[in-house]
Coordinates of all heavy atoms in Angstrom, one line a residue:
N1 N 0.8 -1.2 -0.1 CA 0.0 0.0 -0.1 C 0.9 1.1 0.0 O 1.5 1.6 1.0 CB -0.9 0.0 1.2 CG -1.8 1.2 1.3 OD1 -1.4 2.3 1.1 ND2 -3.0 1.0 1.6
M2 N 1.1 1.9 -1.1 CA 2.2 2.8 -1.4 C 1.9 3.9 -0.5 O 2.9 4.4 0.3 CB 2.1 3.2 -2.9 CG 3.3 4.1 -3.1 SD 4.9 3.2 -3.0 CE 6.0 4.5 -3.6
E3 N 0.8 4.5 -0.2 CA 0.6 5.8 0.5 C 0.9 5.5 2.1 O 1.6 6.2 2.7 CB -0.8 6.2 0.4 CG -1.2 7.5 1.3 CD -2.5 8.0 0.9 OE1 -3.1 7.6 0.0 OE2 -2.9 8.9 1.7
R4 N 0.5 4.2 2.4 CA 0.6 3.9 3.9 C 2.1 3.6 4.2 O 2.7 4.1 5.1 CB -0.2 2.7 4.2 CG -0.2 2.3 5.7 CD -1.1 1.1 6.0 NE -0.7 0.0 5.3 CZ -1.4 -0.9 4.9 NH1 -2.8 -0.8 4.9 NH2 -0.9 -2.1 4.4
I5 N 2.8 2.9 3.3 CA 4.2 2.4 3.7 C 5.1 3.6 3.4 O 6.0 3.7 4.2 CB 4.5 1.2 2.8 CG1 5.7 0.5 3.5 CG2 4.8 1.6 1.3 CD1 6.0 -0.9 2.7
Q6 N 4.7 4.5 2.5 CA 5.7 5.7 2.3 C 5.8 6.5 3.6 O 6.7 7.0 4.1 CB 5.4 6.3 1.2 CG 6.3 7.5 0.7 CD 7.5 7.0 0.0 OE1 7.4 6.9 -1.2 NE2 8.6 6.7 0.6
K7 N 4.5 6.8 4.1 CA 4.3 7.5 5.3 C 5.1 6.9 6.5 O 5.8 7.6 7.3 CB 2.9 7.7 5.7 CG 2.6 8.7 6.8 CD 1.1 9.0 6.9 CE 0.8 9.8 8.2 NZ 1.0 9.2 9.3
R8 N 5.0 5.7 6.5 CA 5.7 4.9 7.7 C 7.1 5.0 7.6 O 7.8 5.1 8.6 CB 5.2 3.4 7.8 CG 3.8 3.3 8.3 CD 3.3 1.9 8.3 NE 2.0 1.8 9.1 CZ 1.2 0.9 9.1 NH1 1.5 -0.2 8.3 NH2 0.0 0.9 9.9
F9 N 7.7 4.7 6.4 CA 9.1 4.9 6.1 C 9.6 6.3 6.6 O 10.7 6.4 7.3 CB 9.6 4.7 4.7 CG 9.4 3.2 4.3 CD1 9.0 2.9 3.0 CD2 10.0 2.3 5.2 CE1 8.9 1.6 2.7 CE2 10.1 1.0 4.8 CZ 9.6 0.7 3.4
V10 N 9.0 7.3 6.2 CA 9.3 8.6 6.6 C 9.3 8.8 8.2 O 10.1 9.5 8.8 CB 8.4 9.9 6.0 CG1 8.6 11.2 6.5 CG2 8.7 9.8 4.5
E11 N 8.2 8.3 8.8 CA 8.1 8.3 10.3 C 9.3 7.7 11.0 O 9.6 8.0 12.0 CB 6.8 7.7 10.7 CG 5.6 8.5 10.4 CD 4.2 7.6 10.5 OE1 4.4 6.4 10.8 OE2 3.1 8.4 10.5
H12 N 9.9 6.7 10.2 CA 11.1 6.0 10.8 C 12.4 6.6 10.4 O 13.4 6.0 10.6 CB 11.0 4.5 10.5 CG 10.2 3.8 11.3 ND1 8.7 3.8 11.0 CD2 10.3 3.0 12.3 CE1 8.1 3.0 12.0 NE2 9.1 2.4 12.8
G13 N 12.3 7.8 9.8 CA 13.5 8.6 9.4 C 14.3 8.1 8.3 O 15.5 8.3 8.2
I14 N 13.6 7.4 7.3 CA 14.2 6.8 6.1 C 13.5 7.1 4.9 O 12.2 7.4 4.9 CB 14.4 5.4 6.3 CG1 13.2 4.6 6.4 CG2 15.3 5.0 7.3 CD1 13.3 3.1 6.5
W15 N 14.2 7.2 3.6 CA 13.6 7.4 2.4 C 13.8 6.2 1.5 O 14.8 5.9 1.1 CB 14.2 8.6 1.8 CG 13.3 8.8 0.3 CD1 13.8 8.7 -0.8 CD2 12.0 9.3 0.3 NE1 12.9 9.1 -1.7 CE2 11.8 9.3 -1.0 CE3 10.9 9.5 1.2 CZ2 10.5 9.6 -1.6 CZ3 9.7 9.8 0.7 CH2 9.5 9.9 -0.8
V16 N 12.6 5.4 1.3 CA 12.6 4.3 0.5 C 11.3 4.4 -0.3 O 10.2 4.8 0.1 CB 12.5 3.0 1.4 CG1 12.5 1.8 0.5 CG2 13.7 2.9 2.5
R17 N 11.6 4.1 -1.6 CA 10.3 4.2 -2.5 C 10.1 2.9 -3.2 O 10.8 2.5 -4.1 CB 10.8 5.3 -3.6 CG 9.7 5.7 -4.7 CD 8.6 6.4 -4.0 NE 7.6 6.9 -5.0 CZ 6.5 7.6 -4.7 NH1 6.3 7.9 -3.5 NH2 5.7 7.9 -5.7
P18 N 9.2 2.1 -2.6 CA 9.0 0.8 -3.2 C 8.2 0.9 -4.5 O 7.6 1.8 -4.8 CB 8.1 0.0 -2.2 CG 8.2 0.9 -0.9 CD 8.4 2.3 -1.4
F19 N 8.1 -0.3 -5.2 CA 7.1 -0.4 -6.3 C 6.6 -1.8 -6.4 O 7.3 -2.7 -6.2 CB 7.7 0.1 -7.6 CG 8.8 -0.8 -8.3 CD1 8.5 -1.8 -9.1 CD2 10.1 -0.4 -7.9 CE1 9.5 -2.6 -9.6 CE2 11.2 -1.2 -8.4 CZ 11.0 -2.3 -9.3
G20 N 5.4 -1.9 -6.6 CA 4.7 -3.3 -6.7 C 5.0 -4.2 -5.4 O 4.7 -3.6 -4.2
K21 N 5.6 -5.2 -5.6 CA 5.9 -6.1 -4.4 C 7.2 -5.9 -3.9 O 7.6 -6.6 -3.0 CB 5.8 -7.6 -4.9 CG 4.4 -8.0 -5.3 CD 4.4 -9.4 -5.8 CE 3.0 -9.8 -6.3 NZ 3.0 -11.3 -6.7
L22 N 8.0 -5.0 -4.4 CA 9.4 -4.7 -4.2 C 9.8 -3.6 -3.2 O 9.5 -2.5 -3.5 CB 10.2 -4.6 -5.5 CG 10.1 -5.8 -6.5 CD1 10.7 -5.5 -7.7 CD2 10.5 -7.1 -6.0
V23 N 10.4 -3.9 -2.2 CA 10.9 -2.9 -1.3 C 12.4 -3.1 -1.4 O 13.0 -4.1 -1.1 CB 10.5 -3.2 0.2 CG1 11.2 -2.2 1.1 CG2 9.0 -3.1 0.3
Y24 N 13.1 -2.1 -1.8 CA 14.6 -2.2 -2.3 C 15.3 -1.0 -1.9 O 14.7 0.2 -1.7 CB 14.7 -2.6 -3.7 CG 14.4 -1.5 -4.7 CD1 15.4 -0.7 -5.1 CD2 13.1 -1.1 -5.0 CE1 15.2 0.5 -5.9 CE2 12.9 0.1 -5.8 CZ 13.9 0.8 -6.3 OH 13.7 1.8 -7.1
V25 N 16.6 -1.1 -1.7 CA 17.4 0.1 -1.7 C 18.6 -0.1 -2.6 O 19.2 -1.1 -2.9 CB 18.1 0.1 -0.3 CG1 16.8 0.4 0.8 CG2 18.7 -1.1 0.2
M26 N 19.1 1.1 -3.0 CA 20.2 1.3 -3.8 C 21.0 2.6 -3.4 O 20.9 3.6 -4.1 CB 20.0 1.3 -5.4 CG 19.3 0.0 -5.8 SD 18.8 0.0 -7.5 CE 20.3 -0.2 -8.5
P27 N 21.6 2.6 -2.2 CA 21.9 3.8 -1.6 C 23.2 4.4 -2.2 O 24.0 3.7 -3.0 CB 22.2 3.4 -0.1 CG 22.7 1.9 -0.3 CD 21.8 1.4 -1.4
P28 N 23.6 5.6 -1.9 CA 24.8 6.2 -2.3 C 26.0 5.3 -1.7 O 25.9 4.8 -0.7 CB 25.0 7.6 -1.7 CG 23.4 7.9 -1.4 CD 22.8 6.6 -1.1
Y29 N 27.1 5.3 -2.5 CA 28.2 4.5 -2.2 C 28.8 5.0 -0.8 O 29.6 4.2 -0.2 CB 29.4 4.4 -3.3 CG 28.8 3.8 -4.6 CD1 29.5 4.0 -5.8 CD2 27.6 3.1 -4.7 CE1 29.1 3.4 -6.9 CE2 27.2 2.6 -5.9 CZ 28.0 2.9 -7.0 OH 27.6 2.4 -8.2
I30 N 28.8 6.2 -0.5 CA 29.5 6.8 0.5 C 28.7 6.5 1.9 O 29.2 7.1 2.9 CB 29.6 8.3 0.3 CG1 28.2 9.2 0.3 CG2 30.4 8.6 -0.9 CD1 28.4 10.6 0.5
I31 N 27.5 5.9 1.8 CA 26.9 5.8 3.0 C 27.6 5.0 4.1 O 28.4 4.1 3.8 CB 25.4 5.0 2.7 CG1 24.5 5.1 3.8 CG2 25.8 3.5 2.3 CD1 23.1 4.7 3.6
Q32 N 27.6 5.6 5.3 CA 28.2 5.1 6.4 C 27.6 3.8 7.0 O 26.3 3.7 6.9 CB 28.5 6.1 7.5 CG 29.3 7.3 7.0 CD 30.6 7.0 6.6 OE1 31.4 6.4 7.4 NE2 31.0 7.3 5.3
Q33 N 28.4 3.1 7.7 CA 27.7 1.8 8.2 C 26.6 2.1 9.1 O 25.6 1.4 9.1 CB 28.9 0.9 9.0 CG 28.2 -0.5 9.3 CD 29.3 -1.3 9.9 OE1 30.5 -1.3 9.6 NE2 29.0 -2.3 10.9
D34 N 26.7 3.0 10.1 CA 25.6 3.4 11.0 C 24.4 3.8 10.3 O 23.3 3.5 10.6 CB 26.1 4.3 12.1 CG 26.6 5.6 11.5 OD1 26.9 5.6 10.5 OD2 26.6 6.6 12.3
E35 N 24.7 4.6 9.3 CA 23.5 5.1 8.4 C 22.8 4.0 7.7 O 21.5 3.9 7.7 CB 24.0 6.2 7.4 CG 24.4 7.5 8.0 CD 25.1 8.4 6.9 OE1 25.7 7.8 5.9 OE2 24.8 9.5 7.0
L36 N 23.6 3.1 7.1 CA 23.0 1.9 6.5 C 22.2 1.0 7.4 O 21.1 0.5 7.0 CB 24.1 1.3 5.6 CG 23.6 0.1 4.7 CD1 22.5 0.5 3.7 CD2 24.9 -0.5 4.0
E37 N 22.9 0.7 8.6 CA 22.3 -0.1 9.5 C 20.9 0.6 10.2 O 19.9 -0.1 10.3 CB 23.2 -0.4 10.7 CG 24.2 -1.3 10.4 CD 25.3 -1.4 11.5 OE1 25.3 -0.6 12.4 OE2 26.1 -2.3 11.4
F38 N 20.9 1.9 10.2 CA 19.6 2.5 10.6 C 18.6 2.4 9.6 O 17.4 2.2 9.8 CB 19.9 4.1 10.9 CG 18.8 4.9 11.3 CD1 18.5 5.1 12.6 CD2 18.0 5.6 10.4 CE1 17.4 5.8 13.1 CE2 16.9 6.3 10.8 CZ 16.7 6.4 12.0

């Protein structure tokens, strides 16, 4: 449910944009370990 899950991601302090059945990440290469773990 795109509207609901997007809002929840933001509430958890992260930006993720799923599509269909797929929740995925392709972050910047410079992301720090603590940022990625968060």
Side-chain angles (χ1 to χ4, degrees):
N1 179 313
M2 190 62 174
E3 181 173 353
R4 185 179 67 211
I5 200 169
Q6 189 81 87
K7 184 172 182 290
R8 283 176 172 164
F9 283 137
V10 170
E11 289 170 350
H12 282 76
I14 59 177
W15 182 248
V16 181
R17 185 75 173 175
F19 65 90
K21 299 178 182 179
L22 302 174
V23 176
Y24 72 99
V25 292
M26 296 173 82
Y29 301 165
I30 65 162
I31 194 166
Q32 299 299 302
Q33 182 171 335
D34 60 334
E35 292 176 318
L36 186 53
E37 288 173 346
F38 181 88

